[in-house]
């Protein structure tokens, strides 16, 4: 028995480098080997992981982490909300407008300040969208059976503006919500109203977009810029080409969307069909958006919520 224990406790030969007594160069040679890039474990080799050839692996990891977390936390379906990151709440917009007005009063002929004043006035007008998106977030958040009911969950890009407002609405009523932040050249902080365990950061826009649609039961789009248009038209194209199943796509603000996009002109030009215009629906506020989504599912004869768990 003692012989067996001595054998188990015996130091194995690979636990130590070759002795310098056997070869004076051995220690330095082994040190060079261990320090080489090729000796690094693949996951710990940052240069390798960031290489062009490893992009497929990075794409998979970018997708997999959020997918596993959402599965574990029981996220079944989502309603995605998009809109401008520059939209701010009324009190903040009013404060900015007042500060610019004071500067302009000091120098009324300052054209740059006049331009800023015009922009500030438009942002004050657009603050109604912040309040409305917050209202929509609360409507979705209140539709379940409580804070832990994740059958239908608000999901946003995780940033400020309309995204913040929608997450905040869910936060107001104690519901969970998801934020899909993106790693940008200039640091971007997530808004404070996302559920901590459902706040993600992505490297690839493509993977982030995949998660927006992966569980989507509806899409609600507020006024916005390039990013908002990018998300909207990509989803319209996926539905048009039947690569994605039809879902309610709701644009909020007839005033904005009827001026920003002339889809009727595209139809007249023959580059889209009449039925393509029916892929989406334009409303004026959160209540109308929520009503349209619920009625859309009623007409289709499908539940918005999974009744099996009720």
């Amino acid at each position: 028995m003692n012989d067996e224990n001595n054998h188990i406790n015996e130091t194995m030969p690979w636990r130590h480098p070759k002795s310098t007594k056997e070869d004076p160069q051995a220690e330095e040679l082994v040190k060079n080997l261990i320090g080489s890039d090729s000796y690094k474990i693949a996951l710990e080799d940052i240069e390798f992981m960031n290489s062009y050839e490893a992009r497929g692996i990075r794409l998979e990891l970018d997708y997999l982490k959020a997918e596993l977390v959402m599965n574990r936390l029981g996220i079944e379906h989502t309603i995605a909300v998009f809109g401008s990151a520059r939209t701010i709440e009324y009190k903040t917009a009013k404060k900015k407008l007042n500060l610019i007005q004071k500067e302009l009063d000091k120098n009324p002929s300052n054209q740059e300040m006049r331009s800023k004043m015009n922009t500030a006035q438009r942002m004050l007008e657009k603050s109604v969208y912040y309040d409305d998106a917050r209202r929509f977030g609360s409507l979705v958040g209140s539709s379940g059976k409580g804070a832990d009911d994740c059958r239908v969950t608000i999901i946003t890009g995780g940033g400020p503006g309309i995204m913040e407002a929608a997450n905040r609405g869910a936060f107001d009523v104690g519901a969970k919500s998801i934020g899909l932040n993106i790693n940008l050249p200039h640091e971007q902080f997530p808004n404070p109203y996302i559920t901590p365990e459902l706040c993600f950061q992505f490297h690839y826009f493509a993977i982030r977009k995949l998660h927006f649609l992966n569980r989507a039961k509806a899409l609600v789009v507020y006024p916005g810029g390039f990013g908002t248009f990018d998300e909207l038209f990509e989803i319209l194209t996926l539905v048009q080409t039947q690569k994605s199943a039809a879902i309610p796509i709701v644009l909020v603000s007839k005033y904005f969307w009827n001026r920003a996009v002339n889809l009727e002109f595209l139809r007249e030009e023959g580059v889209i069909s009449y039925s393509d215009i029916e892929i989406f629906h334009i409303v004026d506020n959160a209540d109308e958006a929520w009503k349209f989504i619920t009625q859309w599912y009623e007409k289709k004869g499908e539940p918005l919520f999974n009744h099996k768990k009720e």
Side-chain angles (χ1 to χ4, degrees), residues 246-276:
I247 59 173
I249 300 174
V250 188
L251 313 185
V252 181
S253 177
K254 293 175 184 176
Y255 169 80
F256 178 86
W257 290 109
N258 286 333
R259 296 182 68 193
V261 185
N262 190 345
L263 292 176
E264 184 59 32
F265 170 73
L266 296 181
R267 187 193 67 78
E268 291 172 357
E269 289 292 303
V271 293
I272 63 172
S273 65
Y274 184 81
S275 60
D276 291 336

Side-chain angles (χ1 to χ4, degrees), residues 77-79 140 143 149-154 217 290 304-305:
H77 300 294
T78 59
I79 293 181
V140 177
S143 65
D149 187 347
C150 294
R151 289 173 299 169
V152 178
T153 309
I154 280 286
K217 294 284 274 188
W290 182 239
L304 177 57
F305 291 91

Side-chain angles (χ1 to χ4, degrees), residues 43-92:
L43 287 175
E44 297 175 1
D45 188 343
I46 302 301
E47 185 175 350
F48 164 71
M49 289 300 295
N50 287 331
S51 67
Y52 174 83
E53 292 78 6
R55 179 172 289 175
I57 298 169
R58 296 198 304 274
L59 284 163
E60 183 177 358
L61 292 174
D62 216 28
Y63 168 79
L64 188 60
K65 181 179 178 180
E67 179 66 14
L68 292 176
V69 172
M70 284 193 267
N71 280 339
R72 177 167 53 83
L73 295 178
I75 303 297
E76 291 187 20
H77 300 294
T78 59
I79 293 181
V81 179
F82 298 120
S84 176
R86 305 183 188 196
T87 302
I88 52 181
E89 54 185 315
Y90 179 84
K91 64 180 182 180
T92 305

Side-chain angles (χ1 to χ4, degrees), residues 87-91 124 126-138 161-162 165-166 168-169 172 222 286:
T87 302
I88 52 181
E89 54 185 315
Y90 179 84
K91 64 180 182 180
L124 181 64
K126 287 182 174 61
S127 66
V128 297
Y129 300 134
Y130 183 100
D131 294 334
D132 198 69
R134 186 174 178 179
R135 164 73 177 162
F136 184 79
S138 69
I162 294 298
R168 189 174 185 177
D172 290 339
Y222 281 84

Side-chain angles (χ1 to χ4, degrees), residues 216-229:
K217 294 284 274 188
L219 170 68
V220 177
V221 190
Y222 281 84
F226 288 162
T228 302
F229 276 66

